[in-house]
Amino acid sequence: MKQKLETLIEAYQGHFVEREDEIKGAFLAILANENLLFLGPPGTAKTYLAQNICSSIDDAEFFYYLLTRFTTPEEIFGPLSLKALEEDEFRRKTDGCLPTSHIGFLDEIFKANSSILNSLLTLLNERKFHNGPNVVSTPLLSIFGASNELPEEDENLEALYDRFLFRYEVKPISFEENLRKLIFESPETFLPPKNLSVDEIRAIREQAKDVEFYEDAMDILMAIRRELTKVGDGGTQIYISDRRWKKIVHVLKVAAAAQGHTKVNRSMLLLLEHLLWDHPDQKNAIRRIVIELTMSGGQSYDDLEEKIKGLDPKKYSNKKIHLPVPVTHVSSARNNTTVATLEEVKEVCRRGGNGYNDGRPFRMQNKYYSFDELIEALRIEYGIDSKLEMKDSFVGYLAEVAKLRFEFLALEKFNTKYFDHFKRDLEKNIWTNSRDVDEVVVYHQKELSRIQHLDKEISKLERIKKIEDLQKNEDDQRTNQRNYNVFGY
């Protein structure tokens, strides 16, 4: 199957310039029994491409129709059967119409009126047609739709739009040399090789049922889903329904089975670029997310960098233990200062403030205490174990740093150790293109510098010394030693 598909794709690319994604997407949509939408102006070979792709499948019937708001159901689904009407049955003669075709192409799909819409929705989603009292299974492999514009806000049209899993924005040819090739050198007719059969296509779908996901590919897919909830036009999330995610998983399995693979690897995930967007403005953001998370194994550079910046050692080393009752410090000048936290008590001692008032500068509930006496009283009367609190706070800090290091190592592994293997998978993957490979290589080179930067930032956090960080401005060795005895470090 892979060889046949490569032959077909190569032949089509030689004739349809700048349509590599659309060609591959069309064949994959047929294999996966999904629908495809071409969004773009007239004259970009959308119908011509669909008609020829159908011609590459032996014994496949092709149905084409340009919809208008005046199109009647008879034109799409077939005329009423006069013989059936004589028997008081409402049944259509569907021969040669959409319900008996293998590939349908409906131009200006969003012009469909309400009399056609309900039958279309059932065909698109379930591949079934209600013909009178009977529900008939259709041979449809795929329905291609085309439109010059997105549907207007209408609940029924939105449901119709959602039925098209594959979406491509087809633009006029952009490079002058390709346009020159098309208008001066391209032959008027194209005879595609017939390499696929309907039975082979159905066999691939059966094989896809046994295809599994590599664990990293599964993790990346879920990470992409999470990330999509955070980006979008105007800061809104990109909503993808559960049904759509289920279909996406099926497509990825079919894409793997068509290449003879028994598992979906992460190179397949670049296909998501064409399966997730609702509006063309979302395409660039989705492509960036898919490439970044696919390369990093589901880890986000931005998220990790934000976590590193947000980990403030002072937040842990100067943990605020609020005192349960007012405590007053009486200085040598007999100035009273209220201290609200245990850290403020420590700071007084670091400045030598424990030598005032006969060594008892702290007053709590009309009783004077030395530093040691105050700590002991807080422990006995209020259960404040200062030793436990401060040690636990630093342990928490170390745990957070270790967690960041673990996330970084996972990200680094995918971008360095596994990169060459990932690049080879991309090059062998018939569903990706040379642009994907080139962009991934450029992105890899750019992100190597970010990896080095993140490594340095985490190393800074790891190099912080306990005593230096937990006890700043220590100029009195005797006071420091007493603090060690009390707090246990």
Side-chain angles (χ1 to χ4, degrees):
M1 175 61 79
K2 182 179 180 181
Q3 291 176 345
K4 287 185 176 183
L5 288 168
E6 285 177 327
T7 301
L8 277 169
I9 291 169
E10 184 178 355
Y12 274 85
Q13 286 181 218
H15 186 74
F16 294 88
V17 294
E18 293 188 20
R19 296 290 180 262
E20 183 176 0
D21 287 338
E22 291 84 351
I23 292 166
K24 293 180 177 181
F27 279 111
L28 184 54
I30 291 170
L31 292 177
N33 200 24
E34 290 296 341
N35 308 308
L36 177 145
L37 176 69
F38 290 139
L39 185 66
T44 50
K46 300 186 293 293
T47 306
Y48 185 42
L49 175 60
Q51 190 170 12
N52 276 285
I53 285 178
C54 182
S55 301
S56 297
I57 303 171
D58 291 332
D59 302 322
E61 295 292 331
F62 179 73
F63 177 83
Y64 166 78
Y65 210 86
L66 173 64
L67 296 177
T68 72
R69 66 178 184 273
F70 303 112
T71 302
T72 63
E74 286 74 19
E75 295 171 84
I76 306 299
F77 308 117
L80 291 175
S81 170
L82 297 179
K83 185 175 181 180
L85 286 174
E86 291 176 355
E87 300 173 1
D88 294 332
E89 286 188 13
F90 186 91
R91 194 167 61 243
R92 296 186 182 279
K93 296 178 64 176
T94 57
D95 292 346
C97 297
L98 183 61
T100 57
S101 301
H102 292 93
I103 297 178
F105 186 89
L106 300 178
D107 208 353
E108 294 299 334
I109 181 71
F110 299 123
K111 296 287 197 301
N113 55 54
S114 57
S115 62
I116 293 174
L117 196 57
N118 288 336
S119 294
L120 264 184
L121 290 175
T122 306
L123 272 175
L124 286 163
N125 197 50
E126 302 170 23
R127 299 292 191 254
K128 294 185 182 297
F129 177 66
H130 292 267
N131 195 5
N134 302 318
V135 180
V136 181
S137 295
T138 69
L140 280 165
L141 301 172
S142 181
I143 295 180
F144 293 178
S147 178
N148 298 336
E149 55 192 5
L150 290 171
E152 298 178 0
E153 290 189 9
D154 180 286
E155 185 176 343
N156 290 327
L157 290 181
E158 288 175 2
L160 180 64
Y161 182 47
D162 191 59
R163 297 298 197 274
F164 290 92
L165 183 62
F166 288 77
R167 295 167 182 173
Y168 292 90
E169 187 181 18
V170 185
K171 298 180 179 180
I173 293 173
S174 56
F175 292 101
E176 186 174 312
E177 63 178 282
N178 289 334
L179 181 61
R180 179 187 293 270
K181 177 181 178 182
L182 174 68
I183 61 179
F184 292 114
E185 302 174 18
S186 180
E188 292 295 326
T189 58
F190 174 60
L191 296 176
K194 289 189 176 182
N195 275 351
L196 295 179
S197 69
V198 173
D199 289 339
E200 284 178 312
I201 292 170
R202 289 172 177 158
I204 285 295
R205 292 182 199 159
E206 287 299 314
Q207 292 177 30
K209 293 178 180 178
D210 297 324
V211 172
E212 298 177 349
F213 270 68
Y214 282 106
E215 188 172 348
D216 65 324
M218 199 182 307
D219 292 341
I220 293 167
L221 188 67
M222 299 310 295
I224 291 171
R225 181 182 182 274
R226 288 193 300 271
E227 192 68 19
L228 288 176
T229 64
K230 299 189 291 186
V231 300
D233 188 22
T236 58
Q237 63 177 332
I238 298 174
Y239 172 73
I240 308 295
S241 67
D242 295 342
R243 177 180 66 186
R244 198 170 182 85
W245 281 114
K246 184 74 174 176
K247 286 177 172 288
I248 286 171
V249 168
H250 171 66
V251 166
L252 295 175
K253 288 183 176 183
V254 171
Q259 299 183 89
H261 298 168
T262 58
K263 286 188 176 183
V264 174
N265 61 49
R266 59 180 175 138
S267 75
M268 303 287 181
L269 299 180
L270 267 68
L271 285 166
L272 296 179
E273 173 192 357
H274 309 294
L275 308 177
L276 295 175
W277 59 269
D278 284 329
H279 194 280
D281 290 345
Q282 299 170 338
K283 288 174 57 180
N284 289 336
I286 288 175
R287 181 172 177 81
R288 179 187 62 79
I289 289 170
V290 169
I291 290 179
E292 177 182 319
L293 294 181
T294 299
M295 289 187 61
S296 65
Q299 298 287 327
S300 169
Y301 287 95
D302 293 337
D303 286 352
L304 182 55
E305 193 165 19
E306 187 175 330
K307 289 177 184 178
I308 292 172
K309 290 179 179 178
L311 186 60
D312 184 3
K314 296 178 182 179
K315 175 183 174 183
Y316 292 86
S317 61
N318 295 310
K319 187 175 181 180
K320 303 299 183 184
I321 304 172
H322 290 274
L323 302 178
V325 293
V327 173
T328 302
H329 171 247
V330 183
S331 69
S332 59
R334 301 298 177 181
N335 293 327
N336 296 341
T337 305
T338 300
V339 288
T341 67
L342 197 59
E343 283 302 307
E344 292 176 15
V345 174
K346 288 175 56 185
E347 187 63 27
V348 169
C349 293
R350 292 188 186 113
R351 296 198 304 264
N354 202 29
Y356 307 133
N357 199 23
D358 297 327
R360 289 182 171 85
F362 298 102
R363 186 175 67 203
M364 183 174 66
Q365 294 183 333
N366 297 321
K367 187 176 180 180
Y368 288 90
Y369 297 89
S370 67
F371 175 79
D372 295 341
E373 291 169 343
L374 178 62
I375 294 299
E376 184 65 12
L378 289 171
R379 185 186 68 80
I380 295 173
E381 296 181 32
Y382 299 102
I384 294 180
D385 191 338
S386 59
K387 177 178 178 181
L388 179 63
E389 289 279 359
M390 294 306 295
K391 287 182 69 176
D392 280 358
S393 70
F394 192 73
V395 169
Y397 169 75
L398 292 178
E400 289 298 321
V401 175
K403 189 187 299 183
L404 291 176
R405 173 59 71 182
F406 179 80
E407 291 182 22
F408 169 78
L409 290 174
L411 184 149
E412 181 188 40
K413 178 174 64 176
F414 279 95
N415 279 274
T416 54
K417 182 178 179 181
Y418 294 166
F419 176 74
D420 289 339
H421 184 73
F422 172 55
K423 182 171 175 286
R424 285 195 298 271
D425 284 342
L426 270 181
E427 291 169 339
K428 294 177 182 178
N429 191 339
I430 63 173
W431 304 116
T432 56
N433 55 47
S434 56
R435 179 173 63 94
D436 294 328
V437 178
D438 293 342
E439 190 166 338
V440 161
V441 171
V442 171
Y443 190 90
H444 171 66
Q445 294 297 326
K446 182 180 71 174
E447 294 309 320
L448 285 178
S449 61
R450 289 191 72 182
I451 288 176
Q452 295 173 355
H453 170 71
L454 293 177
D455 188 16
K456 290 178 182 178
E457 292 301 309
I458 295 177
S459 296
K460 288 179 184 178
L461 298 177
E462 291 171 331
R463 284 197 299 268
I464 295 174
K465 297 178 182 178
K466 295 182 183 180
I467 295 176
E468 289 178 347
D469 213 37
L470 294 176
Q471 299 188 100
K472 56 183 178 179
N473 301 324
E474 299 166 331
D475 55 350
D476 189 330
Q477 185 62 40
R478 183 171 56 83
T479 302
N480 290 344
Q481 187 60 53
R482 181 173 63 239
N483 287 348
Y484 294 166
N485 294 336
V486 173
F487 288 94
Y489 52 77

